């Protein structure tokens, strides 16, 4: 009798706690669907290429492979992966250029974009779409600025960020969140 009672208690415990319930499966499925509805698909992200002009001291980022042969620029690789079109949870990553300063500047802030235009930058449209926070699994896309070189620099690498700061760049925070290459 003791054995039968112990066996019944153990079976009830396994059935209640150890085996997945239909509600648990549905809750997991719903959570995955909510994530998909809230975040873009990683598979849709495209390489965001980084180029550098050492004479002008200018970093240039683009999704467009036709721009990889821009005169004076050397291809440095893929900086990250971003979206070429709006995806759930993303915001525009505006691209601006100052021919006077020879500086490419990128921001998610429309007011910061407008302020840069008022200071002589020309809008080059939207470079792509990135996340404003890390809710969708992105990594920080650090933004730095060199006052001596008049250069904005963006990277996902914490060590590259530290090296740039040591080399005279000012940390301007996180531009947004992207997928790492």
């Amino acid at each position: 009798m003791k054995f039968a009672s112990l066996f019944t208690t153990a079976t009830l415990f396994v059935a209640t706690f150890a085996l997945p319930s239909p509600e648990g499966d549905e809750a997991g499925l719903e959570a995955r669907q909510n994530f998909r509805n809230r975040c873009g698909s990683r598979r849709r992200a495209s390489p965001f290429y980084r180029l550098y002009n050492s004479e002008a001291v200018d970093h240039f980022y683009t999704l467009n492979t036709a721009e990889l042969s821009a005169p004076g620029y050397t291809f440095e690789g893929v900086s990250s992966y971003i979206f070429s079109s709006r995806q759930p949870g993303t915001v525009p990553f505006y691209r601006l250029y100052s021919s006077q300063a020879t500086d490419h500047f990128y921001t998610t802030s429309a007011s910061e974009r407008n302020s840069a235009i008022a200071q002589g930058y020309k809008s080059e449209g939207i470079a792509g779409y990135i996340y404003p926070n890390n809710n969708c699994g992105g990594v920080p896309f650090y933004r730095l600025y060199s006052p001596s070189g008049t250069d904005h620099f963006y990277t996902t690498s914490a060590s590259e960020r530290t090296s740039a700061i040591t080399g005279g760049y000012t940390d301007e925070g996180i531009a947004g969140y992207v997928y790492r290459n």
Side-chain angles (χ1 to χ4, degrees):
M1 187 72 165
K2 283 186 179 181
F3 177 75
S5 176
L6 181 61
F7 179 75
T8 304
T9 303
T11 304
L12 221 127
F13 175 81
V14 169
T16 304
F17 297 106
L19 299 176
S21 69
E23 293 96 15
D25 291 343
E26 288 173 20
L29 177 62
E30 184 177 342
R32 287 189 299 277
Q33 287 172 340
N34 285 339
F35 182 81
R36 276 188 234 132
N37 292 337
R38 193 171 43 92
C39 301
S41 169
R42 167 71 174 89
R43 291 186 304 269
R44 291 190 176 151
S46 300
F48 197 40
Y49 302 106
R50 183 170 94 187
L51 297 94
Y52 181 66
N53 184 326
S54 59
E55 281 187 37
V57 187
D58 181 44
H59 284 90
F60 172 48
Y61 302 80
T62 184
L63 287 169
N64 186 345
T65 56
E67 293 182 313
L68 296 181
S69 57
Y73 286 86
T74 303
F75 178 72
E76 291 192 329
V78 175
S79 69
S80 58
Y81 288 81
I82 69 172
F83 299 101
S84 60
S85 61
R86 185 177 287 277
Q87 299 295 309
T90 63
V91 294
F93 197 38
Y94 302 106
R95 177 172 128 180
L96 300 103
Y97 179 70
S98 169
S99 57
Q100 183 179 2
T102 316
D103 179 42
H104 283 89
F105 173 56
Y106 303 80
T107 182
T108 58
S109 167
S111 63
E112 191 172 38
R113 175 201 62 195
N114 295 341
S115 177
I117 290 169
Q119 294 174 25
Y121 279 80
K122 179 184 173 220
S123 174
E124 294 188 343
I126 296 172
Y129 294 83
I130 65 176
Y131 295 112
N133 55 48
N134 66 350
N135 291 345
C136 293
V139 297
F141 201 36
Y142 301 109
R143 181 173 111 183
L144 301 107
Y145 178 70
S146 169
S148 64
T150 318
D151 178 43
H152 283 91
F153 174 60
Y154 303 79
T155 183
T156 59
S157 167
S159 63
E160 195 171 43
R161 173 181 165 262
T162 300
S163 179
I165 292 168
T166 302
Y169 279 77
T170 302
D171 183 0
E172 291 191 330
I174 296 170
Y177 292 80
V178 298
Y179 292 116
R180 192 180 309 262
N181 53 349

